[in-house]
Amino acid sequence: LMAFQETNQVLSMTLVIFALDQYRHFAILQSQVHEPWVRKMGSTLGLGMRYTPSSCFQTFPFPPSTPETDQRMEDTGKALYEARSIYMIKHQLGMTETWNRLLEENNEHYYDEEIEDIRQKRYDMDRAVLDAYGWSDLEPTDDKDIIARLRKLNAERALEEVLGEGPSMDALIQSATKHIKALGTMQGEFAMTSDTTVNDLVAEAEKKLKKVK
């Protein structure tokens, strides 16, 4: 469960802290898009789950950012956050008990009007997050499909990063090639006067560097 905290306090070392201050960030991390990813990628602590930032947060592919989708997530995230906060203060409850009333059908408060309102706001927020990914065909409860698409998106993002290094690798190859060719004009102990030798070295260098690429 996610919540904003004041920065003028000392927080428990067992908490996971994100340096984020916008409701759209809350919407994403509290959504039913992020939740199944956490259950899949996180570790266990006894009978419960443990949020491990290295596997749950750092590997999580956030949705593309556009003014329209960002604003919608901001608005729906704020609506849920404020409704949850008002309910907790009114009934003097913590987040866990509030969420139990929201999720557990056997809870006596499951069908309370206030809880139904929070549940609808949660759905609206989840819908906004899914739409930000372009996954309007999915529902927030489609865990398997959500995880499959997140994995695919994660792989695509990783590939983009590798391909993004292409220009620098090309520059490295060109620089190495130029350097080796220059060796062929040197005089003295390291002179390489044979065009065949230089060409062979150039070809070998390009072959090895392209393997790295």
Side-chain angles (χ1 to χ4, degrees):
L1 294 172
M2 308 291 175
F4 293 112
Q5 296 294 324
E6 297 291 338
T7 58
N8 60 347
Q9 57 183 317
V10 178
L11 301 173
S12 170
M13 65 178 293
T14 59
L15 293 176
V16 177
I17 310 299
F18 302 104
L20 303 170
D21 61 358
Q22 297 182 32
Y23 287 108
R24 66 183 178 91
H25 298 135
F26 166 79
I28 295 168
L29 296 177
Q30 189 64 79
S31 73
Q32 291 188 80
V33 175
H34 189 55
E35 181 180 337
W37 183 261
V38 172
R39 294 187 181 280
K40 188 70 175 178
M41 305 299 291
S43 59
T44 57
L45 183 61
L47 298 177
M49 293 293 300
R50 182 179 182 183
Y51 192 104
T52 47
S54 59
S55 60
C56 296
F57 182 77
Q58 294 178 16
T59 63
F60 181 73
F62 276 64
S65 177
T66 69
E68 181 181 353
T69 58
D70 285 355
Q71 188 60 55
R72 187 177 168 201
M73 288 189 292
E74 182 78 11
D75 293 342
T76 55
K78 181 179 181 181
L80 173 63
Y81 192 90
E82 291 182 344
R84 186 184 71 176
S85 298
I86 291 171
Y87 184 86
M88 289 166 56
I89 293 171
K90 178 181 178 180
H91 297 279
Q92 293 296 290
L93 296 174
M95 285 193 293
T96 301
E97 176 56 30
T98 300
W99 227 237
N100 288 342
R101 295 184 179 190
L102 186 75
L103 301 178
E104 298 176 356
E105 291 190 36
N106 62 347
N107 191 293
E108 62 178 325
H109 299 283
Y110 184 82
Y111 293 104
D112 287 358
E113 184 177 349
E114 292 171 297
I115 292 296
E116 291 279 14
D117 179 64
I118 294 174
R119 189 176 295 115
Q120 181 60 49
K121 286 180 168 56
R122 184 195 186 205
Y123 177 83
D124 293 341
M125 182 190 76
D126 289 336
R127 183 76 269 156
V129 175
L130 282 169
D131 290 348
Y133 282 96
W135 301 340
S136 300
D137 58 316
L138 296 183
E139 286 296 320
T141 53
D142 294 335
D143 289 0
K144 290 184 178 179
D145 290 331
I146 288 173
I147 290 176
R149 293 193 188 186
L150 286 173
R151 281 181 164 175
K152 181 175 182 292
L153 182 58
N154 197 27
E156 291 172 349
R157 296 271 177 88
L159 180 59
E160 287 174 2
E161 290 182 9
V162 172
L163 294 178
E165 297 176 356
S168 62
M169 292 302 297
D170 289 340
L172 177 60
I173 291 172
Q174 292 174 6
S175 176
T177 301
K178 183 179 179 181
H179 178 68
I180 293 172
K181 285 182 177 179
L183 292 176
T185 63
M186 293 176 63
Q187 300 297 321
E189 184 179 356
F190 300 104
M192 298 182 188
T193 57
S194 169
D195 290 338
T196 301
T197 303
V198 173
N199 290 335
D200 289 344
L201 287 170
V202 170
E204 184 65 20
E206 289 182 339
K207 182 179 178 181
K208 289 182 178 180
L209 288 169
K210 284 178 180 177
K211 282 185 178 180
V212 174
K213 181 179 178 183

